[in-house]
Amino acid sequence: MAINKQLKQKMYVPMFLAVLLAVFCSTALYADQVRTGIVQQSLGRDFGILVGDVIEHYYIVQVPAEYSLTPASLPPNGELDYWLLLLDSDYELISESAGLRQYRLHFTFQTFYAPLDVRALATPPLTVSFNAGVKTEQLTIPAWNFTMSPLKEIAPRGVAKDSNQNAFMKADLPPSTIPTRDLQQQIWILAITLLVLAILWLSLKGYLFALTRSPFQQAYHQVKKLRKHPNDESAFNQALQSVHRAFNRLAGHALFAHQTDQFIDKHKEFSGYQDQIDSFYQLSTEALYSEQKVASEKDFDQLLKLCKQLAGAEKLALKKS
Amino acid sequence: MSNVAENSENLLTDWHQKAITLQKNINQTILGQEHIIDLMVVSIFCRGHILLEGDVGVGKTTLLRATAESLGGNFERIEGTIDLMPHDLVYYTHIANDGKPAVSEGPLLKHGENLSIFFFNEINRARPQVHSLLLRVMAERSVSAFNKTFFFPHLQVFADRNRIEKDETFELPAAARDRFMMELHIKQPTAEAQLKELMFNTRYYDADKLIDSADKAVLPFHQLNDIAVAIQSYIHSSDTIQDYGLHLCQALRKPQDYGIQISDIDTEKLVLGGMGPRGISYLARSARAHAWLNQRNSVTPEDFHAVIRAISKHRIFINPVYNYNGEAIIEELISGVLNTIPSP
């Protein structure tokens, strides 16, 4: 028995050594050949998916270190099926250690399947390639099975109760309102302040009174201001411009010398001043187009007189009407 | 005033009389087209080419013939046909008196530098190949043939086309239309008296006799180029009128920038192109010539108003969406521009 026990003990030692060697060898072999595959995945809920839902899948895959992902092998965005859309696919290298690389793959799908009852469906398998020089390794992302649920019941009660087709539809959600009660008071105060300031500015600048004046009254005041600079060549041109503006405003369009007859036909109140109007246009032509006129105070006076006469005629016509 | 300025003023005064004579002479032959004749005279004194467009039988050809005869100089005429080729304008082949085949100079080259008017009748019946030869003749007043270049310094091209008939016709390309200084639209007179005159006065029955009855060569045509230059340098254009002219052209190109509104039209998308540098230069030149014909020394807005339609209408290219009523829309656009842009 003792001999037998000794013999057994002698046999155990080489067996233990053989097992140790085998374990060591297999570990070394494994270190040389890292297996390409999915090491982790996050696929989300595989039930209760509704039409229009966005499905996001994350995979962490590993490959031997010399392999790198071929970006062109990622499935292109677009329709995978008549009901399934691949919205996006991207990748990221998340770790790189001796002998091993890990990538995170991210696929975003959107389903447009509208089932009438709970329906089992599956995303198609997708293939991604990794290459190391001329060597290529392919990894298949397996199909993902899930069930889709309907949005509405098959036979809505609304149909049975009445023939109103709207019964199929759910009632509109009431719009969510933003409380503005507190702001209203501030807005009113701001608006009134701005209005008062605008009126104040218009009246200080004289524009408020100008609005109530006739075009020729306005021109009269502008010419009167410009008359204070008779030696300034541009002052007379500006004065002419003011009177032209008055004519244009009243005519409703740009009025020129050859159109004065039509203007007077329309505005009979000025028919007594045809000669004065014609001589104004003549004066304007000499000063602005022929550039042969040196303006004098007399010319300013002519403009002032014309503006006064025409403003008076306009006022009279308004009173009569 | 210096002697040179005085001489040029006297010369232009003499020529003004001649221009009036020319105008009267054409008006005696053609009834009820005073405005068109005014514009033609403007164009003659700018040395610009003219394209007449109008209905059938309104007197386009007679008007152009009468103008050509009144101007004097050598006059050539060709009919636009579908089989007309560019070489038909340059040379023709025939059997000479000695019985041998011969090549002779065609209508363009026959008179050399003395060619004054080249009248192209029914221009839209000719093919685009002929239009392209005409492009060079009009723009450069020269043509290359027989290994040399022929120049026509006094040449003015008059062309007409029928606006009703469109079968077997070739629309003039934009580039060819742009080379015509003016495109004039002839309508029949509307005054009853004038229509009765045209109807019953035997004088208007025979166009050849009618043209023969008018005075011929009332102007020394070979001096027209110099006079045209003198007019352009003598007539003054102030800064104010220059601004006005420029804004008119810009408003025709970009009406939306000037707030021009046309009913049912999106003015932002209306104009595709037009009134390029050649067009705006023609507008200024014709405004100066118009001022001179009206005995003024400076250009006024009235001058632009008188010529702008004839100068710009065929140069404005609108979005094809609006082609269904293109002519009326362009007319409305021009009116809108004239009514909106003030001066000063």
Side-chain angles (χ1 to χ4, degrees):
Chain A
M1 280 296 284
I3 292 167
N4 240 354
K5 201 176 178 182
Q6 266 188 339
L7 192 65
K8 268 186 183 170
Q9 275 177 346
K10 276 184 184 175
M11 278 180 74
Y12 281 144
V13 172
M15 273 175 72
F16 177 69
L17 284 172
V19 169
L20 261 179
L21 187 68
V23 169
F24 176 77
C25 285
S26 68
T27 314
L29 192 70
Y30 184 73
D32 274 353
Q33 292 183 339
V34 176
R35 285 192 63 193
T36 301
I38 298 165
V39 291
Q40 205 179 326
Q41 62 185 26
S42 166
L43 307 176
R45 199 175 64 195
D46 62 355
F47 59 90
I49 311 279
L50 298 172
V51 59
D53 276 1
V54 172
I55 302 162
E56 295 201 87
H57 286 177
Y58 293 91
Y59 296 91
I60 292 175
V61 297
Q62 68 176 27
V63 286
E66 71 266 30
Y67 282 89
S68 54
L69 189 141
T70 313
S73 70
L74 286 170
N77 298 347
E79 282 184 6
L80 297 176
D81 207 333
Y82 73 94
W83 56 273
L84 185 68
L85 204 64
L86 179 64
L87 294 178
D88 190 30
S89 57
D90 63 26
Y91 72 98
E92 188 189 354
L93 178 63
I94 52 169
S95 74
E96 191 170 13
S97 55
L100 162 75
R101 267 185 180 173
Q102 285 195 328
Y103 286 95
R104 180 193 286 124
L105 303 179
H106 177 206
F107 300 104
T108 312
F109 304 94
Q110 191 172 17
T111 169
F112 292 102
Y113 194 83
L116 294 174
D117 52 5
V118 175
R119 185 64 53 102
L121 294 164
T123 61
L126 304 170
T127 308
V128 183
S129 297
F130 298 85
N131 71 309
V134 290
K135 290 189 287 179
T136 308
E137 191 81 35
Q138 284 202 325
L139 174 75
T140 302
I141 308 292
W144 179 66
N145 295 302
F146 64 102
T147 55
M148 284 195 71
S149 304
L151 275 177
K152 58 177 186 174
E153 56 198 327
I154 296 172
R157 276 161 295 165
V159 177
K161 282 181 181 171
D162 58 55
S163 59
N164 182 3
Q165 285 198 324
N166 288 333
F168 275 108
M169 306 295 287
K170 293 201 174 197
D172 288 339
L173 286 174
S176 56
T177 52
I178 305 163
T180 55
R181 195 173 287 273
D182 295 342
L183 286 171
Q184 271 179 11
Q185 197 180 6
Q186 291 173 32
I187 290 167
W188 275 113
I189 293 167
L190 194 69
I192 291 166
T193 315
L194 280 174
L195 191 70
V196 169
L197 284 173
I199 293 169
L200 204 65
W201 182 76
L202 284 171
S203 56
L204 283 175
K205 280 272 183 185
Y207 295 141
L208 201 64
F209 303 108
L211 287 174
T212 57
R213 285 182 193 144
S214 83
F216 288 110
Q217 273 177 324
Q218 282 180 44
Y220 178 85
H221 287 278
Q222 283 160 358
V223 174
K224 209 173 172 185
K225 268 185 206 168
L226 291 162
R227 193 181 181 277
K228 291 171 188 163
H229 317 280
N231 298 325
D232 181 2
E233 204 181 304
S234 68
F236 187 61
N237 289 356
Q238 285 176 45
L240 287 170
Q241 216 166 335
S242 305
V243 184
H244 273 294
R245 267 200 299 269
F247 275 111
N248 294 350
R249 239 182 91 185
L250 215 64
H253 60 84
L255 188 74
F256 297 94
H258 60 285
Q259 297 166 334
T260 50
D261 291 345
Q262 295 159 21
F263 174 73
I264 288 169
D265 276 350
K266 267 192 183 173
H267 298 268
K268 299 283 184 204
E269 65 271 22
F270 301 136
S271 54
Y273 301 101
Q274 171 121 37
D275 291 343
Q276 286 91 324
I277 293 172
D278 286 342
S279 33
F280 160 71
Y281 274 94
Q282 181 65 34
L283 182 68
S284 166
T285 303
E286 281 170 19
L288 297 167
Y289 306 126
S290 305
E291 294 183 323
Q292 287 170 349
K293 178 86 190 164
V294 180
S296 62
E297 286 191 11
K298 208 177 136 195
D299 297 317
F300 278 99
D301 291 341
Q302 187 189 333
L303 296 186
L304 286 172
K305 194 178 166 191
L306 177 71
C307 289
K308 213 172 182 176
Q309 285 172 332
L310 298 184
E314 206 188 347
K315 209 173 170 183
L316 204 67
L318 275 173
K319 269 186 189 171
K320 278 182 185 171
S321 66
Chain B
M1 193 186 284
S2 71
N3 280 341
V4 180
E6 203 171 333
N7 285 343
S8 120
E9 197 176 334
N10 289 338
L11 179 74
L12 287 175
T13 314
D14 287 348
W15 268 89
H16 184 264
Q17 273 310 314
K18 291 186 175 109
I20 299 298
T21 313
L22 173 73
Q23 226 164 337
K24 277 186 185 162
N25 202 39
I26 307 170
N27 273 321
Q28 273 171 8
T29 318
I30 307 293
L31 201 66
Q33 301 293 353
E34 292 80 6
H35 180 59
I36 297 287
I37 292 165
D38 284 356
L39 290 171
M40 285 180 81
V41 173
V42 167
S43 189
I44 287 165
F45 283 96
C46 293
R47 312 306 295 133
H49 309 294
I50 302 168
L51 176 64
L52 285 192
E53 196 189 60
D55 298 344
V56 184
V58 286
K60 300 184 293 289
T61 310
T62 315
L63 173 58
L64 290 183
R65 278 178 62 196
T67 311
E69 295 284 357
S70 300
L71 269 177
N74 292 306
F75 161 71
E76 274 301 329
R77 171 179 172 165
I78 198 155
E79 308 300 320
T81 54
I82 197 161
D83 57 349
L84 184 77
M85 293 306 279
H87 62 253
D88 295 326
L89 272 65
V90 178
Y91 66 86
Y92 71 99
T93 53
H94 59 103
I95 305 296
N97 289 338
D98 56 6
K100 291 180 182 171
V103 177
S104 291
E105 286 151 336
L108 257 182
L109 305 186
K110 203 188 286 175
H111 303 289
E113 290 194 353
N114 286 324
L115 181 63
S116 161
I117 304 287
F118 187 75
F119 174 24
F120 206 128
N121 201 16
E122 302 251 19
I123 191 171
N124 56 336
R125 292 204 179 278
R127 286 174 169 276
Q129 293 95 315
V130 182
H131 295 158
S132 85
L133 174 81
L134 209 63
L135 279 184
R136 176 168 173 187
V137 174
M138 287 198 288
E140 298 173 24
R141 290 192 161 88
S142 69
V143 72
S144 295
F146 309 119
N147 295 325
K148 65 175 187 173
T149 305
F150 293 83
F151 292 96
F152 317 104
H154 307 293
L155 176 68
Q156 205 174 357
V157 175
F158 288 173
D160 72 8
R161 66 171 175 183
N162 174 340
R163 69 192 282 268
I164 289 178
E165 210 168 13
K166 298 285 179 197
D167 289 343
E168 289 194 346
T169 60
F170 298 89
E171 190 52 55
L172 279 179
R177 291 180 78 180
D178 195 58
R179 276 162 172 81
F180 283 103
M181 182 178 204
M182 290 187 184
E183 191 172 302
L184 303 173
H185 296 255
I186 297 207
K187 290 173 186 159
Q188 70 169 30
T190 45
E192 247 182 56
Q194 286 175 338
L195 286 171
K196 275 183 194 166
E197 184 85 348
L198 285 171
M199 200 172 167
F200 294 106
N201 191 339
T202 53
R203 184 171 174 256
Y204 296 104
Y205 287 179
D206 187 339
D208 290 333
K209 269 190 189 168
L210 182 68
I211 291 163
D212 276 346
S213 68
D215 292 342
K216 294 192 174 52
V218 296
L219 294 178
F221 79 92
H222 53 276
Q223 289 176 23
L224 275 171
N225 284 348
D226 297 334
I227 294 303
V229 172
I231 292 168
Q232 294 303 319
S233 41
Y234 178 72
I235 301 296
H236 176 67
S237 24
S238 66
D239 289 344
T240 315
I241 203 70
Q242 286 183 24
D243 285 345
Y244 179 62
L246 184 70
H247 284 301
L248 284 182
C249 297
Q250 284 178 334
L252 285 175
R253 277 186 80 96
K254 291 184 173 174
Q256 71 276 18
D257 290 358
Y258 290 83
I260 291 156
Q261 304 283 331
I262 303 173
S263 56
D264 294 334
I265 305 286
D266 178 3
T267 46
E268 196 138 336
K269 291 174 185 161
L270 176 64
V271 181
L272 294 181
M275 287 307 277
R278 190 189 288 126
I280 62 176
S281 145
Y282 275 160
L283 182 65
R285 281 151 69 177
S286 53
R288 279 206 184 102
H290 188 267
W292 172 71
L293 282 168
N294 286 280
Q295 290 184 292
R296 273 185 273 107
N297 298 334
S298 54
V299 182
T300 64
E302 184 189 345
D303 299 314
F304 282 115
H305 285 227
V307 296
I308 196 164
R309 283 190 165 77
I311 301 281
S312 64
K313 219 171 167 182
H314 61 292
R315 292 194 159 84
I316 299 170
F317 297 98
I318 58 168
N319 195 323
V321 173
Y322 301 115
N323 274 351
Y324 67 96
N325 197 19
E327 215 169 290
I329 291 170
I330 292 174
E331 189 67 44
E332 216 173 319
L333 171 68
I334 298 172
S335 299
V337 167
L338 293 179
N339 283 336
T340 309
I341 311 293
S343 178

